[in-house]
Amino acid sequence: PDSLEEFMWVFPFGLNAGAAGDRKVSLQINFSGKVKDSCHFTVGAGGVEAKQGACPNPDITIETPFDLWMDIMTRKADGQRMFMEQKYTVAGDLPLMVQLFQQKE
């Protein structure tokens, strides 16, 4: 993806919506760099809903350069390593974020 709109369309396919269990989880992503914008996803048993803009009370907030996140999504960069090197930050429920990004079984 090279735009926020394309990202919002593709990103839900990589999320493990089952990790949310019976609740709805809100995941906010704030981009910097090439794309300076934000979007959020509501994840639940019914799937994933994407919306542009900020979420009032997200469970998880990711602050990241757009290009870095695209590299993580395409596996050009290791997400865990980039996090440890503080290339992006996460606020909120980090264990839940890890579950949401685990491969679906």
Side-chain angles (χ1 to χ4, degrees):
D2 59 4
S3 70
L4 184 67
E5 292 76 17
E6 288 179 16
F7 169 75
M8 288 171 54
W9 186 80
V10 170
F11 185 68
F13 293 106
L15 288 176
N16 180 4
D22 293 335
R23 65 184 182 141
K24 289 194 180 265
V25 174
S26 56
L27 170 64
Q28 172 78 38
I29 304 180
N30 299 323
F31 290 114
S32 60
K34 180 174 114 175
V35 173
K36 292 178 179 71
D37 211 337
S38 62
C39 59
H40 64 278
F41 302 87
T42 303
V43 183
V48 180
E49 180 183 5
K51 291 187 180 179
Q52 190 167 352
C55 177
N57 295 304
D59 296 293
I60 303 162
T61 301
I62 300 171
E63 302 275 347
T64 181
F66 185 82
D67 288 337
L68 174 65
W69 200 256
M70 296 312 106
D71 285 349
I72 292 170
M73 283 183 58
T74 58
R75 302 195 189 208
K76 293 178 187 173
D78 179 86
Q80 186 175 12
R81 182 174 177 203
M82 295 297 101
F83 177 74
M84 298 302 284
E85 293 179 7
Q86 300 179 350
K87 303 289 184 183
Y88 71 93
T89 61
V90 177
D93 192 336
L94 186 59
L96 177 58
M97 185 187 109
V98 170
Q99 292 175 347
L100 289 172
F101 288 107
Q102 284 180 341
Q103 293 293 324
K104 301 172 195 174
E105 296 180 8

